[in-house]
Amino acid sequence: MPRKFEAGFLLTLSLLMAGCAGSGDGPEEGPADPETAVAVPDFSGPYAAEFAESYRSADSDFVRQALADEEISDAEYAEMTERFRTCLDEVGITFNGFNSDGSYSTSLAPNSDETHDLVSECVTSSGQDAIGMLRDIMAANPTNQDASTIMAECLVREGAAPPGYGADDYVADIEGRFADLDGLPTEVREALVTCSDDPLGIG
């Protein structure tokens, strides 16, 4: 069986956490230097800060155009996916597609030691780290609720955590026992996968 590089469900957990942690009262001001300043749209939705930061740091017109209306359309997501696939193909890596939770797998690079760096470059150049990330966290948590809270509530709902288990417990577990996914009881591991994909039970 061919070996592969995987960005698994813990990626989604980190995206949820990053989305929540990055939220604020609104977009931050752009760079002070007028030579490097980017005119950022007046984002105002639940993920305004995330859209502003992604827009400001984007290197391509495609990414900025996709973010400008504060929505990620199916067509924009499809184009990002094709750009990601093409970029990987050009460096000898096969893209195996995205999963429902935003995770994905690829083949290894011809020089396997280069796989992580090459995939990371394609993540950035294709816009996957902006378009894909924002679409995934918005689908899982549309109103940008506190990620630790909704994950804790989901684990309780799934029977993988006791009543009273809260956000602080979840954060402690993410930094502790959840880091060793393979070492967890099956029911806890399955609940984590379920909750990372759909913490609010939307689907």
Side-chain angles (χ1 to χ4, degrees), residues 5-203:
F5 172 84
E6 295 185 88
F9 93 96
L10 288 175
L11 170 64
T12 304
L13 294 182
S14 66
L15 292 180
L16 283 168
M17 299 290 285
C20 179
S23 298
D25 295 329
E28 298 177 1
E29 294 298 322
D33 183 355
E35 295 293 326
T36 60
V38 173
V40 177
D42 186 19
F43 298 118
S44 60
Y47 286 94
E50 289 79 11
F51 269 91
E53 179 56 32
S54 293
Y55 189 97
R56 185 180 295 114
S57 60
D59 291 328
S60 78
D61 290 339
F62 161 66
V63 174
R64 290 196 177 120
Q65 289 169 4
L67 301 179
D69 61 357
E70 213 165 348
E71 295 180 0
I72 307 296
S73 70
D74 290 344
E76 289 163 344
Y77 188 81
E79 182 171 347
M80 176 277 295
T81 300
E82 187 56 33
R83 286 169 179 252
F84 189 41
R85 184 190 310 278
T86 299
C87 178
L88 292 171
D89 185 64
E90 289 174 350
V91 292
I93 298 175
T94 300
F95 175 54
N96 298 323
F98 290 111
N99 300 315
S100 61
D101 63 354
S103 62
Y104 60 87
S105 66
T106 73
S107 68
L108 296 180
N111 179 349
S112 61
D113 291 342
E114 297 178 346
T115 303
H116 182 272
D117 288 343
L118 291 173
V119 171
S120 294
E121 289 172 6
C122 288
V123 161
T124 300
S125 66
S126 67
Q128 194 278 329
D129 59 349
I131 294 170
M133 180 271 290
L134 284 166
R135 181 174 166 118
D136 292 337
I137 63 174
M138 290 170 68
N141 184 8
T143 57
N144 204 0
Q145 298 181 52
D146 179 71
S148 299
T149 298
I150 62 175
M151 283 297 296
E153 291 173 348
C154 182
L155 291 175
V156 172
R157 192 167 61 244
E158 292 292 320
Y165 182 89
D168 291 344
D169 301 309
Y170 173 73
V171 171
D173 282 340
I174 278 291
E175 297 172 351
R177 68 190 183 107
F178 291 169
D180 180 17
L181 185 64
D182 292 335
L184 293 172
T186 300
E187 62 273 15
V188 176
R189 183 169 63 248
E190 290 178 349
L192 277 169
V193 173
T194 296
C195 291
S196 70
D197 191 11
D198 187 14
L200 294 172
I202 296 172

